[in-house]
Amino acid sequence: MRIAYRVAKWSGLVVALALLAGIVTGLWYWYAVEPRVAGTITLPGFDKPVEIVRDKEGVAHIFAETDADAAAALGFVHAQDRLWQLEMNRRIASGRLSEIVGPPGLDTDRFLRTIGIRRTAEAIYRNVDAETRAQLLAYSRGVNAFIETSNAPLPPEFYILRAPAPEPWSPVDSIGWSLMMALDLGGNMSSEIMRLRLAQAGMPMERIGQILPPYPGEAWPQLADYTALYQGLAPETRRAAAAIRGLDLGLEGVGSNNWVVSGARSETGRPLLANDPHLGLSAPALWYFARMTSPSGTVIGATLPGTPGVVLGRNERIAWGFTNTGPDVQDLYIERLDPRDPAVYQAPEGWRRFETVEERIRVRGGADQVVTVRISRHGPVISDGASRSATSGAPRGYALALQWTALSADNLTIQAARRLNAAKNWDEFLAATRHFHSPQQNIVYADTDGNIGFVAAGRVPVRKPENDLRGLFPAPGWDARYDWAGFIPFEQLPQEFNPARGYRATANERIVDAGYPHFITYEWTSPYRADRIRELLAARDKHTLDSFKAIQADHRSNAVREILPLLLAAPPAGERERQIIDRLRSFDGTMAADRIEPLVVTAWMRELTRLVYADELGPALFKDYWDQRQVFMVSVLSDQGGQGAWCNRRGAAEPTTCESLVTRALVLALDDLEKRYGADRNAWRWGVAHDARSEHRPFTRVAQLARFFDIRVPVPGDTYTVNVNRHTISNAAEPFVSRHAASLRALYDLSDPERSLFIHSTGQSGLPSSPLYRSFAERWARVDYIPMRTRRADIERGAIGTLTIRPR
């Protein structure tokens, strides 16, 4: 007994000591992993001393004696605060996720290796001008100065995943991430694949044009019918669809807002400008706020970790903001293969041999995967992207190739940021945007002299008049009619300077009138946000920063206001439904977080979309393409052009009508809501179901880790409100959670640029243990802001610290 007692006593002591050691180690790590933000350090890669002041919000203010040192310092602070994000950005763009996450990363790696993001980045780097090359090299030196000299432990993700320490950063890594941003904002490829799959399923062309409708008030052009050809492409199409699945390309309602008013429409007599780009929410945020002062001037705003320069922001003279134009710059081509040799395909002038590239993907815990990429005269064959090689299991008849403006070696978008940051007037700004090739952006402009302007900068292909597919369906690659005929000249892109109306606003809607001579796209975003912004701009003669804040915060849904009367016209199925309908009769579409009505209407529409078109698409297609489809649903419920026929469900014992489906959908919606949130309807709240989820890469997929790394805040709005918060109705577990929203918001006052404001969705730090990891989240959800100041006295007031870098 005495021996057992001693063993137990010593075992308890060992456990206690181990626990104490764990606590001490954890506390040490908590402190040691934080970046050094004060004092003096000596680093390689710098030519002159640099000062970095982190203000009380963690915004890095860089003071450098050379432009190169400013770029290097930006790379350094990116590495200090967002090292894991840099690592993930590089691995995604390079197709190297599988090296650290294993087989779950393979599909993404295969696709990105297939389209050649890294290969394109290498080609672009060979073509950039000397100044941009110097900037990219300087930025890389800054990142590498941190990687090489830091004695701090790595961020926790490296240890949890047992990932190797970061490799040296290179300019190609920066270009690769800029190309990934272009991919994120280009969705035409996915809609072409959807149309192709619907045609293969036997859906008539007219029906396809209904579920993927044209812009409101417009009609589809007359298109050639290649259904017979498409029917034979099912294997290739399945592989192409699988390759892009999970990349969230072409989601309905995803977009951005910007607007600018002249001094005539401003109480200050000088322009005001607003911008909020809508992107997938991530933790940490996609953006990192920084300011740089160098011989080129002072610039402050949103930077992208991994790339040099301010993407969205202001300098001492001008401000600018982006929304996505959404041009049709991705075309799929059906390449006809030589039946004797799948390495040969047919071109208009005869047979050609594919260029081939072998990509070897290292897979953690598994064997290397080899992908042999075939590249036609149009571009990479994406129907190989989800298979292990070009020929394994692939039919010998056809292949699907992608042509995309971003994959050109002379895509020099990376050159635009440096010029934009230094521009002092409209002419210099316009000259900078000439370098902006992909993705095409609606850029609004304002300056301290009182000028405002707009340009839709980017490379948009010219389609030939005889092209009878208009980029909406994959085209025969052997027919020269479908080849691009150059690009719209920059001078002929949509643009204006000091418009007489006194403002310009864009929200991804159609930006050109019927008289514009060039084709940009048939797939403009529905105009609900754009119409609401114009409505609010017209509500007062002169605007202020406060009125601009109110517009960015607006969460009244024009989409709900449009469709709700069509829903309320149907009879209730019972007393429960009657009470809900009575409550909704006075609902004005304000999607407030503390209300029940937004939740009920959204759930009602979710069930109704399922009833209307799940039977038409079939299980496989419905699983991939179940989305909100507001314009289509309005057309169906109002029976525009006979589209009410969609309500006649296949296989039903008796014919069904839209009215009966609306009635049934409310029953299903209330049943679902009671299961999720309880039977007490008075306790239901939109904000409880509809939180904004900033997701960590990759730990959002691991429930035990997501609770520490993801950031969640209740939010108002919906997919179509100005204060957008897009939910994904096909997500069975969390159909109302917002994962796409305003990734940042900014307001610029050109009467005094120091009064400008900004905020992004999380915080400056990428370390979950840091108080700066989620310090913006609650304020962002409230549509609050932090000052965008550059005066040294202002930023030093309450500053976290000042770090001086001395060259080694």
Side-chain angles (χ1 to χ4, degrees):
M1 289 289 296
R2 192 172 296 175
I3 293 175
Y5 171 77
R6 288 177 179 174
V7 170
K9 178 180 178 181
W10 282 105
S11 297
L13 181 60
V14 169
V15 170
L17 289 174
L19 182 62
L20 179 62
I23 293 172
V24 171
T25 301
L27 290 173
W28 169 83
Y29 178 83
W30 189 287
Y31 172 79
V33 75
E34 286 288 331
R36 183 174 180 181
V37 297
T40 301
I41 56 175
T42 302
L43 294 176
F46 289 81
D47 296 323
K48 300 287 183 65
V50 174
E51 282 190 308
I52 303 170
V53 181
R54 279 183 171 82
D55 67 23
K56 64 181 181 180
E57 301 288 356
V59 177
H61 296 258
I62 295 166
F63 299 87
E65 296 180 37
T66 70
D67 292 342
D69 280 347
L74 182 63
F76 181 76
V77 296
H78 280 170
Q80 278 192 305
D81 287 331
R82 301 285 187 87
L83 186 62
W84 177 252
Q85 188 178 36
L86 286 177
E87 181 71 6
M88 284 298 289
N89 290 355
R90 167 167 50 191
R91 287 189 175 277
I92 291 169
S94 299
R96 296 178 58 193
L97 278 177
S98 302
E99 293 180 13
I100 58 171
V101 303
L106 259 176
D107 283 346
T108 298
D109 284 351
R110 284 180 185 135
F111 178 70
L112 296 175
R113 294 282 190 103
T114 295
I115 66 172
I117 294 293
R118 179 79 183 186
R119 296 192 304 271
T120 302
E122 291 169 348
I124 289 172
Y125 183 58
R126 292 191 288 269
N127 289 329
V128 297
D129 61 29
E131 293 83 1
T132 303
R133 183 181 294 265
Q135 182 192 40
L136 289 165
L137 286 168
Y139 178 86
S140 298
R141 288 197 300 272
V143 174
N144 294 331
F146 177 79
I147 292 173
E148 294 166 10
T149 65
S150 175
N151 293 319
L154 292 168
E157 295 91 338
F158 285 94
Y159 299 111
I160 295 171
L161 286 170
R162 292 180 290 119
E167 300 168 0
W169 191 267
S170 78
V172 173
D173 296 323
S174 295
I175 299 171
W177 189 242
S178 73
L179 291 173
M180 285 303 302
M181 291 301 300
L183 180 63
D184 187 58
L185 294 169
N188 178 258
M189 169 175 50
S190 61
S191 61
E192 279 195 51
I193 290 175
M194 179 179 176
R195 288 189 185 91
L196 178 58
R197 295 181 72 190
L198 293 175
Q200 290 168 347
M203 185 176 287
M205 297 284 279
E206 179 185 12
R207 207 92 156 145
I208 294 172
Q210 291 173 353
I211 195 169
L212 287 169
Y215 194 69
E218 298 183 3
W220 288 126
Q222 188 66 37
L223 300 176
D225 190 344
Y226 282 101
T227 301
L229 173 62
Y230 297 156
Q231 295 287 347
L233 297 173
E236 294 88 345
T237 308
R238 282 195 297 269
R239 281 193 297 276
I244 66 171
R245 188 176 293 125
L247 294 178
D248 286 345
L249 304 178
L251 296 176
E252 176 167 331
V254 174
S256 305
N257 305 319
N258 66 18
W259 62 92
V260 60
V261 299
S262 69
R265 298 290 308 277
S266 161
E267 287 193 1
T268 67
R270 282 288 183 270
L272 297 170
L273 188 149
N275 187 206
D276 52 294
H278 308 158
L279 297 163
L281 297 176
S282 63
L286 176 75
W287 305 103
Y288 178 90
F289 289 153
R291 168 269 192 88
M292 291 178 286
T293 294
S294 69
S296 289
T298 292
V299 62
I300 182 171
T303 69
L304 280 172
T307 66
V310 169
V311 179
L312 299 167
R314 71 166 180 88
N315 58 33
E316 297 156 305
R317 298 280 301 164
I318 76 167
W320 64 94
F322 291 0
T323 69
N324 196 35
T325 310
D328 186 348
V329 295
Q330 296 174 338
D331 274 355
L332 293 179
Y333 289 90
I334 304 163
E335 307 292 14
R336 180 184 283 156
L337 306 182
D338 185 334
R340 299 162 299 180
D341 186 353
V344 174
Y345 68 100
Q346 186 177 10
E349 73 281 1
W351 296 95
R352 289 191 184 186
R353 184 165 292 276
F354 285 107
E355 177 188 347
T356 59
V357 176
E358 186 176 282
E359 294 279 356
R360 181 173 295 274
I361 303 172
R362 293 171 51 209
V363 183
R364 182 173 183 170
D368 289 1
Q369 301 286 307
V370 176
V371 176
T372 302
V373 181
R374 295 181 290 181
I375 304 170
S376 77
R377 66 192 186 93
H378 296 112
V381 172
I382 65 166
S383 52
D384 294 340
S387 59
R388 295 188 178 187
S389 71
T391 58
S392 73
R396 300 174 66 85
Y398 299 96
L400 283 175
L402 169 68
Q403 185 166 17
W404 176 31
T405 53
L407 296 181
S408 172
D410 62 352
N411 169 15
L412 301 180
T413 304
I414 197 74
Q415 294 184 171
R418 179 180 58 82
R419 291 168 167 84
L420 197 57
N421 290 183
K424 299 297 188 287
N425 54 52
W426 171 254
D427 289 340
E428 292 180 7
F429 163 82
L430 212 57
T433 62
R434 282 180 176 272
H435 296 263
F436 207 101
H437 293 164
S438 181
Q440 186 184 26
Q441 297 290 287
N442 303 320
I443 311 177
V444 292
Y445 163 94
D447 64 36
T448 55
D449 292 330
N451 299 301
I452 66 171
F454 156 81
V455 61
R459 229 177 224 177
V460 182
V462 173
R463 267 77 176 191
K464 297 175 181 178
E466 59 269 30
N467 183 333
D468 53 11
L469 286 171
R470 304 293 197 278
L472 295 170
F473 281 85
W478 57 90
D479 191 331
R481 287 180 299 167
Y482 303 111
D483 288 349
W484 294 352
F487 302 97
I488 300 175
F490 181 84
E491 293 77 12
Q492 296 175 30
L493 292 170
Q495 55 191 278
E496 60 183 351
F497 183 59
N498 288 332
R501 77 181 81 85
Y503 76 92
R504 180 74 195 217
T506 77
N508 319 107
E509 82 287 12
R510 180 173 181 143
I511 59 168
V512 295
D513 58 29
Y516 183 68
H518 298 290
F519 167 78
I520 295 179
T521 185
Y522 285 111
E523 298 179 290
W524 307 100
T525 296
S526 55
Y528 295 107
R529 284 180 289 107
D531 289 346
R532 181 63 176 161
I533 290 168
R534 283 191 286 267
E535 179 185 340
L536 294 171
L537 287 174
R540 53 189 297 163
D541 293 332
K542 294 183 182 292
H543 284 273
T544 65
L545 282 180
D546 285 339
S547 71
F548 271 33
K549 288 180 188 178
I551 296 174
Q552 286 194 331
D554 184 78
H555 49 263
R556 178 175 290 183
S557 175
N558 277 355
V560 167
R561 293 165 73 184
E562 178 183 38
I563 208 162
L564 187 57
L566 300 174
L567 300 179
L568 297 178
E575 179 61 20
R576 178 185 65 165
E577 290 75 23
R578 186 194 63 76
Q579 291 177 9
I580 288 293
I581 287 175
D582 287 346
R583 184 164 189 163
L584 289 174
R585 291 194 190 282
S586 61
F587 182 48
D588 66 353
T590 298
M591 309 295 280
D594 61 353
R595 297 181 68 166
I596 175 181
E597 295 91 344
L599 177 58
V600 172
V601 171
T602 304
W604 193 353
M605 282 300 299
R606 178 174 186 260
E607 295 300 334
L608 184 57
T609 57
R610 191 202 314 258
L611 292 176
V612 167
Y613 66 86
D615 59 317
E616 298 276 355
L617 268 61
L621 290 176
F622 184 72
K623 177 177 177 291
D624 286 349
Y625 297 123
W626 185 18
D627 205 350
Q628 296 169 56
R629 309 201 181 284
Q630 171 78 12
V631 174
F632 164 67
M633 292 298 293
V634 169
S635 298
V636 169
L637 296 184
S638 57
D639 196 22
Q640 295 177 19
Q643 292 188 51
W646 283 83
C647 292
N648 191 8
R649 288 179 59 80
R650 292 184 177 185
E654 297 179 2
T656 54
T657 65
C658 289
E659 183 179 84
S660 66
L661 294 191
V662 171
T663 297
R664 177 63 180 155
L666 182 56
V667 174
L668 294 173
L670 295 178
D671 288 348
D672 182 58
L673 292 177
E674 287 176 358
K675 289 177 184 177
R676 293 177 189 274
Y677 309 112
D680 183 4
R681 295 193 295 274
N682 291 322
W684 295 352
R685 293 293 180 268
W686 182 226
V688 172
H690 185 64
D691 60 333
R693 187 80 51 82
S694 295
E695 297 182 324
H696 180 274
R697 288 174 173 161
F699 292 158
T700 192
R701 299 179 183 275
V702 183
Q704 299 91 329
L705 295 173
R707 59 184 296 198
F708 299 106
F709 288 87
D710 285 357
I711 298 173
R712 305 174 60 163
V713 284
V715 288
D718 71 4
T719 299
Y720 306 101
T721 51
V722 177
N723 182 6
V724 72
N725 276 286
R726 188 194 193 283
H727 57 282
T728 306
I729 62 174
S730 60
N731 186 318
E734 298 175 321
F736 310 118
V737 168
S738 170
R739 290 179 170 85
H740 287 78
S743 57
L744 72 87
R745 298 186 184 97
L747 302 174
Y748 305 91
D749 185 343
L750 278 299
S751 70
D752 179 5
E754 291 293 296
R755 297 183 65 238
S756 301
L757 304 164
F758 58 177
I759 194 79
H760 65 63
S761 54
T762 61
Q764 287 288 89
S765 177
L767 297 170
S769 57
S770 170
L772 298 178
Y773 184 68
R774 61 188 75 226
S775 57
F776 294 163
E778 294 286 347
R779 285 177 284 179
W780 170 84
R782 296 194 305 266
V783 193
D784 204 352
Y785 306 80
I786 66 171
M788 192 188 297
R789 292 175 180 157
T790 60
R791 293 191 189 106
R792 184 130 190 184
D794 292 334
I795 64 174
E796 287 182 339
R797 193 174 300 116
I800 294 172
T802 298
L803 182 69
T804 300
I805 297 173
R806 298 198 179 279
R808 179 176 294 177

